[in-house]
Amino acid sequence: MAHQKTFIMVKPDGVRRRLVGEVIARFEAKGLTLDRLEMVTPDEETAAVHYAEHRGKDFYFGLVDFVTSGPVVVMQWSGESAVSVARLMMGTTDPAAALPGTIRGDYGLDIQQNIVHGSDSPESAERELGIWFAS
Ligand code: IDP
Ligand code: MG
């Protein structure tokens, strides 16, 4: 396996529900390293670029509306197999089906408002980190 970087976002529902600390605490306890962090309210353009792969799907406009609905916390985390480790800890997309012990499994029920985003591959991580940490 390999040392990797990944992009993690606490979505607007996670911020509103005061779960930022919980998400950070879990990844820190696991042994991943927090490299960068910023709070920002996404604009529509940035959200559209981030979710470009979902354009055309029935949930796309709702998703962009949701992710631009308030502040999010965007982060870079790194460590051994950081991409897959973070995805495993987040749980499956639909929190109603996500395993207990995962973030989505422990804190959610709604398939759209599922608390966190995490890159699905090292290539996605590079792309997403470039979008959210442009400087
Ligand atoms: P992921 O976040 O687990 O990678 P994706 O399939 O990439 O899941 O979907 C991106 C985001 O779009 C999800 O995290 C969720 O917020 C939203 N989403 C996915 N599928 C649905 C759906 O069927 N209805 C509403 N929103 C959805
Ligand atoms: Mg995805």
Side-chain angles (χ1 to χ4, degrees):
M1 298 310 275
H3 185 92
Q4 295 175 340
K5 289 182 285 187
T6 192
F7 172 74
I8 301 290
M9 178 199 300
V10 181
K11 297 182 181 183
D13 60 321
V15 174
R16 281 193 282 266
R17 293 177 56 201
R18 295 169 159 72
L19 292 172
V20 175
E22 182 62 35
V23 170
I24 290 175
R26 285 179 179 227
F27 290 139
E28 282 193 323
K30 181 67 175 174
L32 296 174
T33 300
L34 178 58
D35 302 315
R36 294 189 74 161
L37 177 150
E38 197 175 323
M39 177 174 261
V40 59
T41 299
D43 58 32
E44 214 173 298
E45 167 69 17
T46 306
V49 173
H50 175 79
Y51 280 125
E53 67 173 300
H54 297 299
R55 200 172 303 150
K57 297 182 184 171
D58 58 354
F59 62 80
Y60 174 77
F61 288 109
L63 177 59
V64 170
D65 269 3
F66 162 55
V67 86
T68 57
S69 68
V72 301
V73 173
V74 292
M75 296 174 276
Q76 177 182 307
W77 287 85
S78 63
E80 179 64 32
S81 306
V83 171
S84 59
V85 165
R87 293 280 292 189
L88 204 56
M89 292 175 67
M90 287 163 48
T92 54
T93 304
D94 184 356
L99 289 175
T102 65
I103 295 167
R104 288 164 169 172
D106 286 348
Y107 295 110
L109 274 176
D110 188 288
I111 192 168
Q112 177 193 71
Q113 305 203 13
N114 57 4
I115 307 140
V116 278
H117 166 87
S119 308
D120 62 10
S121 68
E123 295 71 30
S124 297
E126 275 305 314
R127 192 184 82 86
E128 293 167 1
L129 289 166
I131 294 168
W132 296 95
F133 295 112
S135 57

